[in-house]
Each structure stands twice: as structure tokens, then as C-alpha cells.
Amino acid sequence: MDERLKKIVDESSGIVFFGGAGVSTESGIPDFRSETGLYHAQKVYGYSPESLISHSFYKRRPNLFFRYYKENLIWKDARPNDAHKALAKLEAMGKLKAVVTQNIDGLHQKAGSKKVYELHGSVLRNYCEDCGASYDIDYIMDEKNCRGNEISGDVEGNYIPVCSRCGGTVKPDVVLYEEPLNEDMIYGAVDAISKADTLIVGGTSLVVYPAAGLINYFRGKNLVLINKSKTGYDGRANLAIHDSIGKVMRID
């Protein structure tokens, strides 16, 4: 761990971590907002990622929505990196009180973290919109459990997961564009951040709202920012490190 960060961690007893896409990119999960991601989506699917994973697009073109979702947002082979593992260790030590994440990959829990507020949901959870039945990621990825869409103009193929109980559409438990964040998650995140003595923000440029606004609830002693590029909040931080978050946080 970076010695400057280690000193702050050693002196803290109520740390909260707030992370973004940069935490998961080090596990091989691409940031779909990158130029490559935008170009790829526009060229292959005909729409930007923001359009493809919006609520209105999900309703209007569900087959293409699920095709894009499965091909770009599901990374079953991804593994926790040094940042995920360090946070789990800090929680086990009693130092870290909560992780607040904008990511939907479940890697914090896979690393061993217990108290995780997933602001945008998780690809690991799925539910039937009609009867509420729950399904795991393997179910929705299996083509045998999916159907196509007869609506004119939608993409060909069977991508839409169908409930085995009632035949309803199985929707991922993720927050799409145009959908509000989960109130319980927001409340829990705000409560944790407002009580923290140290807030470590990593892998996010803090430009996506409302999630980025959570930093304003911090009233503690140490604000630490770890991101490969500068952020608009660097001037407010006690410590700003522009480097790989896995490298900075690694605990040997």
C-alpha cells in the first residue's frame, strides 16, 4: 500500500470506500464510456451505450437490449483485483465499514466484502417482472431460457430471458438510464459516508450524478482520491494519487 495512504488508514477506524468503473477495469472489465466502447457500440449496434441500456430502449427493443447487455456487460470470468482484495482485508480488520460502488459486477463480494452498497444494482441478480421470481446469471445467459421478439425492427435471435414459472420477462437487477437509484441503497450509502472518519474515493472521475454527489455528505477528517487522471475534487482532498488503484491499495 502507498505509504501516504497507509499512514491515513492506520490512523482511521471508520473508513468508507466509494468506487467507480476504474476499480473494475483492472479486472479486465472495460469502461463502456471509453472512446473505444462508444465507437464499438455505435458501429456494431447502431446506438450509443447510453441509448442501448436505457429503460425506454429496454421496453422498445428488448431483444437488442439483451443482446448488447449480454455481450458487453456480463464478464463471468472476471476476478477481483488487488483493490477489491485490499478492501475485503480492511473490512476483516475492522477498519473499513462499507463499500459504496457504482459497479454492477459483484467483484467486491467475490473478494470477500460483506457491507456493499451497490448503487446501480448487480448483474448477478435477475427477477421476473410479472411474478418476481429470482434467477441467477447462468439462467439468463442460457439461450434455452430465452426468446426473440416479434416486434418489427428488433434484432433477430433469442436473447430475452423468460421466467420458467409464468413466462414473463426476466429483467436484470441493474439501474438503467432513465430509472431512479434504489432509495435503500442511497440511504445506506449516505449514512455510511456521513459517519466515516476517512473516505477513500477510487476509480471514478466523479462526474456521474447523482452518485458523485454522495461525496458531499462526507464530514470526516481524511478525503483520499485515487484515480489515474485528475478530478474536479482533487483540491478538496487531503491526499490525491494519480495511479493504478490496485497498485496503490495492494496489501501484501
Side-chain angles (χ1 to χ4, degrees), residues 164-232:
S164 61
R165 297 184 185 180
C166 72
T169 298
V170 178
K171 183 181 183 295
D173 188 14
V174 299
V175 179
L176 305 178
Y177 282 97
E178 304 167 351
E179 292 182 340
L181 299 184
N182 181 282
E183 289 186 4
D184 290 337
M185 288 294 171
I186 286 290
Y187 177 81
V190 168
D191 184 60
I193 290 172
S194 65
K195 293 176 179 176
D197 59 10
T198 292
L199 177 62
I200 302 174
V201 180
T204 174
S205 55
L206 293 170
V207 296
V208 178
Y209 285 82
L214 294 176
I215 194 174
N216 296 318
Y217 290 94
F218 178 62
R219 298 291 183 269
K221 181 179 180 181
N222 298 299
L223 175 61
V224 179
L225 300 182
I226 307 170
N227 199 49
K228 287 185 176 180
S229 58
K230 293 182 179 180
T231 78

Side-chain angles (χ1 to χ4, degrees), residues 52-106:
L52 286 160
I53 56 172
S54 67
H55 179 79
S56 56
F57 198 91
Y58 166 75
K59 288 295 188 182
R60 187 173 73 254
R61 301 280 301 278
N63 214 31
L64 183 53
F65 164 87
F66 275 106
R67 178 190 165 193
Y68 176 81
Y69 176 81
K70 293 177 181 182
E71 293 177 351
N72 293 272
L73 299 184
I74 304 295
W75 297 86
K76 291 176 63 176
D77 294 331
R79 295 292 179 265
N81 59 54
D82 287 335
H84 296 110
K85 295 173 184 176
L87 292 166
K89 289 178 181 178
L90 290 175
E91 183 179 21
M93 293 164 57
K95 289 280 189 180
L96 184 79
K97 303 306 178 185
V99 169
V100 179
T101 180
Q102 299 177 75
N103 299 328
I104 58 176
D105 47 54

Side-chain angles (χ1 to χ4, degrees), residues 86-190:
L87 292 166
K89 289 178 181 178
L90 290 175
E91 183 179 21
M93 293 164 57
K95 289 280 189 180
L96 184 79
K97 303 306 178 185
V99 169
V100 179
T101 180
Q102 299 177 75
N103 299 328
I104 58 176
D105 47 54
L107 290 180
H108 285 293
Q109 292 92 330
K110 189 172 290 186
S113 291
K114 306 298 183 186
K115 194 71 170 180
V116 183
Y117 293 104
E118 297 172 309
L119 298 178
H120 296 152
S122 172
V123 298
L124 303 181
R125 299 187 301 268
N126 306 272
Y127 65 92
C128 174
E129 289 194 293
D130 292 339
C131 72
S134 298
Y135 294 93
D136 62 18
I137 194 170
D138 291 325
Y139 182 89
I140 73 159
M141 293 299 287
D142 190 337
E143 188 176 351
K144 295 194 300 292
N145 302 320
C146 302
R147 62 172 173 81
N149 188 4
E150 296 178 357
I151 296 176
S152 177
D154 210 345
V155 67
E156 293 183 1
N158 296 320
Y159 298 100
I160 305 170
V162 178
C163 177
S164 61
R165 297 184 185 180
C166 72
T169 298
V170 178
K171 183 181 183 295
D173 188 14
V174 299
V175 179
L176 305 178
Y177 282 97
E178 304 167 351
E179 292 182 340
L181 299 184
N182 181 282
E183 289 186 4
D184 290 337
M185 288 294 171
I186 286 290
Y187 177 81
V190 168

